């Protein structure tokens, strides 16, 4: 006989394939066998059809194509013998899936087999249907499966229940047909039928709320009774696992009770006793028992409140933490993290065990235990837990130090009650794991130190001692360098000694040595070196005796390959040599940094609490996008990016590093003369600072110029300026966006009225702005923009954007519509709220505005930039009309410059660029 003929047995083919030494040999064998099977299929060989299908299934499992044998499955299913049907159904489940159209041909055969007198053939049909049935087959065969749920043989009922799960998942509308039969299965004594019945009921509850309510009312007691029977049942060898009767049924019953009890107090009351019984009687020294206990705890935590049961459940989890199995401890920690929101006091009793888990050798358990311990920290235990964690930090693994350090820092910030304790703990962390500390942590420490004026001497001495022993910790060195630069004289003079301190003697040269070592250390990065140079510049003024030595150290970096260090060295050396008279002003002590403002800038950290100087605590929120008030200048960039408000007296060398005169008293000859009384900012929309008042004649000049521009044609910059209506008598108009209001007492009760501004008007489009201020909130201005389309064409896809400087906060509400009707038949309105966080403080500064759709940036005396885009659809051609409205303060007056960009993108960009340059030149 040909070894590859259709009569070859399956085992011979498997033996031939396994004997192949290469993939090519295997492909050759499979190819020959597939050819023989195809020939047998073509000859309609009935004798070896089941054998050929068995070979095809093996070939399919090897990954070779076998689609040509799909019809053989249907022929075998239609045969009368059980062996042929078994191979046919097995091939059907393996070679086909619900997406195959040929599967519809087997529906009739399945229906016949579901009604067969042989229960084994019925079981084959149920098994196949439960694995591959489609939605159409489910609808056709659901009545037969529903009938088989009451079949006499338990194996058929079990398979029918599993098949029903597939049917209700494919066609949820059929779920109501299976509710009553499924409820009947819950009274079964056969464990297999009861197990599958519980799974069917669980899936029904997930699909249908009506089914869930039905089971709660009708079946809760029967499920509780079934669980009680299983718990108290005598030894049964067929269901015993490690001395526990059928733990799988235990778990399934507990899960179903969890669904029934969730959100229902009556159902929860029915199951309280049996849950307590399971929790106390189940052995915990075996894995099967631990699985049941875990499910019991899950159920207790999910049903309605019962404090006694929950304490019992949390105690079970506490015992799990002492188990030697890592998996059991891990799931216990996970469950305790959920339980802490329900009963934190009960979880607190296991704090010592959880702390031991932080020291576990398994990385996953350590991390999860640390997260749980963080949630357990409160005002009463923060000091003891922080002490334990810092002690463990000394011996913890390197890969764990980062997570542990972050949690300790967050705990200290959140729960510190006094500044000295906060500083002490942070110095311990920096000394042990300073290289693992994030930048915002040591930034926050500097902020707290600057606010603790009575602890400056204590802090700088503590840092000096710490850096002697832990000089390799980068963050510690940075904080020490900053403090020595600020409070170096307190270190040398032993100022502000506390009773708990031991006296130390530090000379000026010793203080400079610390900075020099940090500057020249091989591990110091650019930030540390730059801070060292700043500290040396400050010490050159505070320690005149060491000034020459400091100069030599600074000069050594003039040839640095790092441009930042080279520039700082050259500039600082120039200050030391040439500017002795102003050096003391330049390097004076940093002003106190505002904690609330800095906390508003911090993002990505947990809420923290830091004590203030008067003993009260402030809450640090979790990452506010922008602070509400700008802090003073911070050379470390620890505060807002905004520049400081100009001082009212004297010259401030830090105010204008670029040499720009920001003095409000400056004026130009032959132009506007400053008046001594009153302030007229002519609708300064930004209302920043107090520019000199303008004469009424100049105001009329500006308006007349605008009217002249209105009559000109063909000029893109000829759009009218805002039409400004001033109050009678020439009284100054109040600053809209929170500048210095000249006469706040004269405001009306409901807030002053402001004139509307026609920002742009042409033959096709009109834009009008209306202003208002909410009563009692002078720093906020509400702007309503109204857009009217005068052209006969409808504008679609309306978009309006606005930009403001950093110290202003802008809230842009959605537009009333995205379509602008033609011929002024309607309008689009859009509201904006602008809040000036520097109300009455911030002076007008130069800033850069970037045009939308334009590559260039134009530097202007800027306020608000508002940019809008409209898509105009006409004759099937898409045309883009871009316009940008800039509200500018120019020599005390407000101008509105409209920049129109044409239909073509490239030409529009160039056009906009040209017009911007023209406006700047003008």
């Amino acid at each position: 006989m040909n070894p590859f003929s259709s009569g070859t047995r399956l085992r011979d083919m498997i033996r031939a394939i396994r004997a192949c030494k290469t993939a090519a040999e295997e492909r050759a064998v499979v190819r020959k066998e597939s050819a023989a099977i195809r020939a047998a299929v073509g000859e309609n060989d009935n004798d070896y059809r089941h054998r050929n299908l068995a070979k095809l299934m093996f070939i399919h499992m090897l990954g070779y194509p076998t689609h040509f044998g799909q019809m053989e499955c249907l022929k075998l299913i239609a045969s009368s013998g059980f062996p042929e049907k078994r191979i046919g159904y097995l091939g059907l489940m393996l070679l086909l899936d619900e997406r195959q159209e040929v599967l519809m041909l087997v529906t009739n055969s399945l229906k016949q087999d579901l009604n067969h007198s042989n229960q084994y053939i019925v079981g084959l049909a149920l098994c196949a249907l439960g694995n591959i049935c489609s939605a159409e087959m489910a609808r056709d065969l659901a009545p037969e499966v529903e009938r088989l749920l009451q079949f006499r043989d338990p194996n058929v009922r079990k398979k029918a229940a599993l098949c029903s799960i597939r049917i209700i998942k494919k066609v949820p509308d059929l779920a109501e047909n299976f509710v009553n039969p499924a409820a009947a299965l819950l009274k079964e004594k056969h464990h297999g039928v009861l197990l599958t019945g519980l799974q069917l009921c669980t899936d029904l509850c997930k699909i249908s709320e009506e089914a869930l309510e039905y089971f709660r009312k009708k079946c809760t007691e029967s499920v509780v009774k079934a669980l009680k029977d299983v718990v108290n049942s005598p030894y049964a060898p067929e269901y015993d696992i490690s001395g526990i009767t059928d733990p799988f049924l235990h778990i399934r019953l507990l899960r179903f009770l969890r669904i029934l009890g969730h959100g229902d107090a009556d159902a929860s009351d029915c199951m309280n006793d049996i849950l307590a019984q399971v929790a106390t009687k189940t052995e915990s020294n075996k894995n099967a028992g631990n699985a049941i206990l875990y499910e019991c705890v899950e159920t207790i935590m999910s049903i309605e409140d019962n404090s006694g049961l929950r304490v019992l459940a949390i105690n079970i989890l506490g015992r799990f933490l002492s188990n030697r199995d890592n998996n059991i401890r891990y799931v216990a920690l996970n469950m305790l993290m959920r339980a802490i929101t329900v009963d934190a006091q009960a979880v607190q009793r296991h704090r010592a065990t959880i702390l031991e888990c932080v020291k576990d050798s398994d990385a996953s358990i350590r991390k999860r235990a640390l997260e749980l311990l963080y949630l357990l920290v409160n005002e009463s235990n923060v000091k003891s837990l922080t002490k334990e964690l810092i002690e463990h930090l000394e011996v913890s693994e390197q890969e764990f130090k980062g997570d542990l350090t972050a949690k300790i820092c967050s705990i200290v910030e959140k729960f510190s009650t006094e500044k000295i304790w906060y500083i002490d703990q942070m110095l311990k962390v920096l000394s042990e794991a300073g290289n693992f500390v994030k930048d915002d942590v040591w930034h926050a420490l500097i902020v707290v130190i600057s606010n603790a004026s009575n602890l400056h001497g204590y802090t700088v001495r503590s840092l000096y001692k710490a850096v002697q022993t832990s000089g390799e910790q980068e963050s510690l060195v940075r904080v020490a360098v900053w403090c020595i630069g600020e409070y170096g004289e307190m270190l040398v003079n032993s100022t502000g000694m506390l009773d708990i301190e031991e006296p130390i003697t530090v000379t000026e040269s010793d203080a400079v040595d610390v900075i020099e070592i940090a500057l020249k250390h091989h591990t110091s990065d650019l930030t540390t070196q730059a801070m060292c140079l700043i500290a040396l510049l400050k010490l050159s003024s505070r320690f005149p005796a060491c000034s020459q030595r400091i100069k030599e150290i600074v000069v050594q970096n003039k040839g640095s390959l790092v441009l930042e260090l080279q520039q700082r060295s050259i500039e600082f050396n120039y200050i030391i040599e040439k500017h002795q008279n102003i050096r003391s002003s330049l390097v004076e002590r940093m002003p106190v940094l505002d904690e609330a403002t800095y906390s508003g800038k911090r993002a990505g950290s947990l809420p923290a609490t830091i004590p203030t100087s008067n003993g009260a605590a402030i809450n640090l929120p979790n990452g506010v996008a922008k602070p509400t008030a700008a802090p003073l200048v911070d050379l470390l960039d620890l505060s807002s990016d905004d520049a400081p408000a100009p001082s009212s007296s004297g010259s401030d060398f830090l105010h204008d590093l670029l040499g720009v005169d920001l003095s409000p008293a400056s004026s130009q000859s032959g132009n506007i003369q400053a008046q001594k009384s009153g302030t007229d900012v002519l609708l300064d929309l930004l209302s920043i600072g107090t520019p000199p008042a303008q004469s009424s004649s100049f105001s009329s000049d500006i308006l007349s110029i605008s009217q002249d521009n209105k009559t000109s044609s063909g000029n893109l910059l000829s759009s009218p300026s805002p039409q400004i209506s001033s109050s009678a008598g020439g009284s100054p108009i109040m600053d809209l966006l929170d500048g210095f209001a000249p006469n706040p007492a004269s405001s009306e009760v409901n807030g002053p009225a402001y004139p509307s501004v026609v920002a742009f008007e042409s033959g096709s489009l009109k834009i009008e702005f209306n202003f208002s201020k909410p009563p009692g909130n002078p720093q906020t201005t509400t702007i309503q923009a109204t857009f009217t389309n005068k052209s006969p064409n409808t504008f679609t896809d309306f978009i309006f954007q606005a930009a403001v400087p950093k110290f202003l906060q802008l809230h842009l509400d959605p537009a009333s519509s995205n379509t602008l009707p033609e011929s002024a038949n309607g309008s689009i309105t859009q509201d904006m709220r602008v809040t000036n966080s520097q109300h009455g403080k911030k002076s007008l500064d130069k800033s850069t505005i970037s045009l939308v759709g334009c590559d260039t940036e134009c530097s202007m005396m800027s306020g608000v930039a508002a940019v809008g885009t409209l898509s105009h659809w006409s004759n099937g051609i898409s045309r883009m009309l871009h316009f940008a409205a800039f509200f500018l303060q120019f020599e005390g007056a407000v101008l509105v410059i409209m920049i129109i960009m044409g239909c073509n993108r490239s030409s529009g960009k160039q056009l906009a660029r040209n017009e911007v340059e023209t406006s700047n030149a003008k």
Side-chain angles (χ1 to χ4, degrees):
M1 182 184 295
N2 184 353
F4 297 110
S5 67
S6 61
T8 307
R9 294 178 300 178
L10 175 62
R11 67 181 64 180
D12 296 330
M13 187 194 73
I14 294 174
R15 188 178 294 113
I17 291 175
R18 289 183 175 176
C20 298
K21 298 185 181 299
T22 63
E25 291 181 17
E26 178 184 303
R27 288 194 296 269
V29 171
V30 171
R31 188 163 52 249
K32 291 178 181 179
E33 187 62 39
S34 297
I37 294 173
R38 282 195 189 93
V41 170
E43 296 172 0
N44 199 16
D45 186 358
N46 295 324
D47 296 333
Y48 297 107
R49 180 174 282 125
H50 66 285
R51 182 179 294 178
N52 291 336
L53 188 58
K55 294 178 187 178
L56 276 179
M57 286 188 285
F58 185 80
I59 292 172
H60 174 78
M61 287 187 288
L62 293 177
Y64 296 96
T66 56
H67 56 277
F68 58 87
Q70 292 176 350
M71 293 303 297
E72 295 298 288
C73 299
L74 275 62
K75 293 177 182 178
L76 285 175
I77 290 172
S79 61
S80 57
F82 176 78
E84 290 79 8
K85 282 185 178 290
R86 183 179 63 177
I87 293 296
Y89 278 119
L90 184 59
L92 183 72
M93 290 184 286
L94 192 61
L95 302 181
L96 284 82
D97 56 43
E98 59 179 290
R99 295 169 295 179
Q100 303 287 340
E101 294 183 1
V102 72
L103 195 62
M104 297 300 298
L105 301 175
V106 81
T107 304
N108 191 48
S109 297
L110 280 169
K111 188 169 185 177
Q112 292 177 0
D113 289 342
L114 289 174
N115 293 290
H116 204 280
S117 58
N118 188 338
Q119 65 183 24
Y120 299 106
I121 293 179
V122 175
L124 287 176
L126 285 172
C127 187
L129 187 63
N131 278 279
I132 64 166
C133 86
S134 60
E136 293 78 7
M137 295 176 66
R139 290 190 180 92
D140 294 339
L141 301 176
E144 278 71 21
V145 176
E146 182 183 346
R147 177 181 55 80
L148 291 174
L149 287 172
Q150 302 171 6
F151 197 78
R152 63 182 183 277
D153 185 70
N155 289 321
V156 173
R157 295 201 300 274
K158 178 175 65 175
K159 292 180 180 180
L162 294 174
C163 186
S164 301
I165 295 173
R166 171 89 177 192
I167 291 174
I168 64 173
K169 286 183 178 179
K170 289 294 177 184
V171 188
D173 295 341
L174 297 175
E176 59 182 8
N177 300 334
F178 291 90
V179 173
N180 289 326
L185 294 179
L186 297 179
K187 300 178 182 178
E188 288 280 351
K189 298 297 182 183
H190 190 277
H191 284 205
V193 179
L194 181 56
L195 197 64
T196 54
L198 286 166
Q199 183 61 51
L200 175 58
C201 293
T202 301
D203 288 327
L204 284 170
C205 291
K206 294 178 181 178
I207 292 173
S208 171
E209 286 291 333
E210 292 78 7
L212 176 58
E213 291 300 324
Y214 178 83
F215 289 132
R216 276 177 177 165
K217 294 177 181 178
K218 302 292 185 180
C219 302
T220 302
E221 293 182 359
S222 60
V223 176
V224 170
K225 182 179 181 300
L227 180 57
K228 190 175 297 184
D229 292 341
V230 175
V231 171
N232 299 322
S233 63
Y235 173 75
E238 64 272 25
Y239 300 123
D240 180 77
I241 297 178
S242 301
I244 297 176
T245 302
D246 203 345
F248 300 101
L249 184 57
H250 267 95
I251 291 173
R252 189 62 66 187
L253 286 165
L254 288 169
R255 288 180 178 175
F256 189 54
L257 287 175
R258 185 189 315 161
I259 295 174
L260 297 180
H262 182 69
D264 190 279
D266 295 334
S268 300
D269 291 339
C270 292
M271 61 186 74
N272 283 339
D273 293 339
I274 186 60
L275 291 177
Q277 192 173 350
V278 172
T280 53
K281 291 186 65 174
T282 306
E283 298 181 21
S284 60
N285 57 350
K286 297 173 182 175
N287 204 40
N290 287 328
I292 294 173
L293 286 173
Y294 177 77
E295 290 296 334
C296 184
V297 171
E298 281 262 27
T299 303
I300 291 172
M301 291 298 175
S302 299
I303 65 174
E304 290 308 296
D305 188 24
N306 187 307
S307 57
L309 266 183
R310 285 182 173 167
V311 171
L312 177 61
I314 292 173
N315 290 338
I316 292 173
L317 296 176
R319 293 203 306 270
F320 280 0
L321 293 179
S322 303
N323 199 296
R324 290 178 296 178
D325 192 311
N326 288 346
N327 293 327
I328 294 176
R329 279 185 289 169
Y330 188 82
V331 297
L333 290 169
N334 272 342
M335 182 60 69
L336 284 171
M337 290 188 70
R338 293 166 50 189
I340 196 172
T341 60
V342 179
D343 193 343
Q345 192 60 38
V347 181
Q348 286 282 1
R349 300 190 186 100
H350 305 281
R351 190 172 64 240
T353 310
I354 297 169
L355 187 60
E356 289 300 318
C357 291
V358 175
K359 306 173 184 178
D360 195 86
S361 58
D362 187 273
S364 300
I365 292 177
R366 284 200 309 264
K367 186 173 182 179
R368 187 63 68 195
L370 182 61
E371 293 172 356
L372 176 58
L373 196 65
Y374 178 80
L375 298 176
L376 291 176
V377 178
N378 54 37
E379 290 80 1
S380 60
N381 59 26
V382 59
K383 291 190 175 181
S384 59
L385 281 178
T386 303
K387 182 174 180 291
E388 293 279 354
L389 291 176
I390 292 177
E391 289 177 355
H392 179 60
L393 183 62
E394 301 175 6
V395 297
S396 62
E397 294 81 357
Q398 290 295 317
E399 62 272 12
F400 187 54
K401 282 185 182 291
D403 292 334
L404 185 55
T405 300
K407 292 298 183 186
I408 294 174
C409 294
S410 189
I411 289 171
V412 172
E413 290 182 19
K414 186 176 181 180
F415 295 102
S416 59
T417 55
E418 48 190 9
K419 287 184 180 292
I420 188 170
W421 182 82
Y422 172 86
I423 293 172
D424 286 341
Q425 304 311 309
M426 294 302 296
L427 291 187
K428 291 178 182 178
V429 173
L430 292 177
S431 300
E432 294 296 335
N435 293 332
F436 296 93
V437 172
K438 296 181 180 179
D439 286 346
D440 60 343
V441 173
W442 64 268
H443 288 176
L445 177 58
I446 288 179
V447 173
V448 174
I449 291 173
S450 71
N451 280 269
S453 56
N454 57 331
L455 298 175
H456 287 167
Y458 169 77
T459 303
V460 72
R461 285 186 290 272
S462 299
L463 284 165
Y464 176 81
K465 290 185 286 187
V467 81
Q468 302 295 325
T469 57
S470 304
E472 72 282 355
Q473 304 294 343
E474 195 78 21
S475 297
L476 176 67
V477 172
R478 291 175 182 175
V479 179
V481 165
W482 188 89
C483 286
I484 292 174
E486 293 296 321
Y487 316 117
E489 69 279 8
M490 303 182 77
L491 173 64
V492 174
N493 300 329
S494 298
T495 307
M497 288 287 294
L498 302 181
D499 296 336
I500 60 175
E501 288 188 80
E502 294 181 2
I504 60 171
T505 302
V506 181
T507 64
E508 295 180 355
S509 180
D510 294 336
V512 175
D513 286 342
V514 173
I515 310 295
E516 183 179 10
I517 292 172
L519 179 63
K520 297 180 178 179
H521 199 276
H522 66 281
T523 61
S524 297
D525 62 4
L526 175 60
T527 301
T528 306
Q529 292 174 327
M531 292 178 66
C532 289
L533 288 176
I534 294 175
L536 288 173
L537 177 64
K538 293 196 172 191
L539 292 182
S540 67
S541 176
R542 290 165 172 72
F543 300 159
C546 297
S547 180
Q548 184 60 32
R549 179 189 171 190
I550 290 173
K551 177 185 174 184
E552 294 173 357
I553 298 173
V554 171
V555 168
Q556 292 174 7
N557 288 275
K558 291 177 67 175
S560 174
L561 297 178
V562 181
L563 181 60
E564 175 73 17
L565 297 180
Q566 182 186 120
Q567 182 177 352
R568 285 176 185 253
S569 178
I570 293 172
E571 292 175 353
F572 293 171
N573 179 58
Y574 194 77
I575 291 172
I576 295 174
E577 284 185 346
K578 304 294 185 181
H579 296 285
Q580 299 289 340
N581 55 334
I582 67 170
R583 182 172 57 175
S584 59
S585 300
L586 288 174
V587 300
E588 64 183 5
R589 187 172 295 175
M590 288 285 292
V592 176
L593 304 173
D594 184 61
E595 293 179 70
T597 301
Y598 175 72
S599 66
K601 287 194 64 178
R602 294 188 63 185
S605 60
L606 292 172
T609 300
I610 295 180
T612 56
S613 56
N614 58 4
I618 60 171
N619 291 322
L620 300 185
N622 185 11
V624 179
K626 197 68 183 170
T628 57
L632 296 175
V633 174
D634 185 358
L635 294 180
L636 288 180
D637 194 23
L638 300 183
S639 52
S640 173
D641 295 332
D642 301 333
S647 60
S648 59
S649 61
S651 298
D652 194 334
F653 299 101
L654 293 179
H655 279 171
D656 190 7
L657 296 179
L658 296 177
V660 179
D661 184 12
L662 300 180
S663 174
S666 61
S667 60
Q668 298 179 1
S669 61
N671 230 336
I672 307 165
Q673 301 298 325
Q675 298 180 357
K676 295 183 179 181
S677 62
T679 304
D680 186 356
V681 294
L682 282 178
L683 284 180
D684 179 5
L685 293 179
L686 290 183
S687 61
I688 307 166
T690 55
Q694 311 300 328
S695 63
S696 58
S697 61
F698 178 79
S699 303
S700 60
D701 291 341
I702 293 294
L703 293 177
S704 63
I705 292 173
S706 300
Q707 296 299 326
D708 292 338
N709 285 339
K710 184 175 181 180
T711 60
S712 61
S713 60
N715 188 351
L716 291 176
L717 293 180
S718 62
S719 58
S721 295
Q723 299 174 7
I724 304 170
S725 60
S726 59
S727 58
S731 59
I733 300 173
M734 185 177 180
D735 190 357
L736 283 178
L737 294 186
D738 315 328
F740 293 131
N743 295 313
S746 64
S747 299
E748 298 178 5
V749 176
N750 295 326
Y754 303 99
S756 61
V757 175
V758 179
F760 175 78
E761 186 171 9
S762 67
S764 60
L765 183 64
K766 178 181 179 181
I767 307 172
E768 184 175 3
F769 288 168
N770 294 303
F771 307 94
S772 63
K773 278 184 177 289
N777 193 3
Q779 67 268 22
T780 300
T781 300
T782 301
I783 306 174
Q784 185 182 67
T786 304
F787 305 86
T788 306
N789 178 15
K790 298 181 179 180
S791 69
N793 301 312
T794 300
F795 291 104
T796 60
D797 298 331
F798 172 82
I799 299 173
F800 180 80
Q801 298 176 348
V804 297
K806 292 183 179 180
F807 58 89
L808 295 179
Q809 295 179 356
L810 172 67
H811 179 83
L812 193 64
D813 292 336
S816 60
S817 175
N818 62 354
T819 302
L820 195 57
E822 73 284 356
S823 304
N825 290 329
S827 61
I828 294 178
T829 60
Q830 187 158 11
D831 292 338
M832 295 174 283
R833 289 197 307 275
V834 183
T835 303
N836 187 354
S837 61
Q838 295 293 295
H839 175 51
K841 299 177 183 179
K842 183 70 177 178
S843 65
L844 189 66
D845 194 3
K846 286 188 176 181
S847 61
T848 300
I849 301 177
S850 180
L851 290 178
V852 171
C854 183
D855 298 332
T856 63
E857 291 185 350
C858 50
S859 297
M860 304 180 185
M861 300 292 290
S862 73
V864 176
V867 180
T869 301
L870 292 171
S871 296
H872 174 210
W873 295 88
S874 177
N875 300 326
I877 302 174
S878 174
R879 305 176 59 201
M880 297 299 296
L881 171 65
H882 298 269
F883 66 90
F886 292 90
F887 296 87
L888 311 176
Q889 181 173 1
F890 178 72
E891 296 182 350
V894 174
L895 301 180
V896 180
I897 298 181
M898 297 298 303
I899 299 176
I900 310 297
M901 284 174 276
C903 306
N904 182 278
R905 288 185 177 271
S906 60
S907 63
K909 289 182 179 181
Q910 185 60 41
L911 179 60
R913 185 181 299 109
N914 294 339
E915 295 304 332
V916 170
E917 293 171 355
T918 303
S919 65
N920 287 336
K922 293 183 178 180

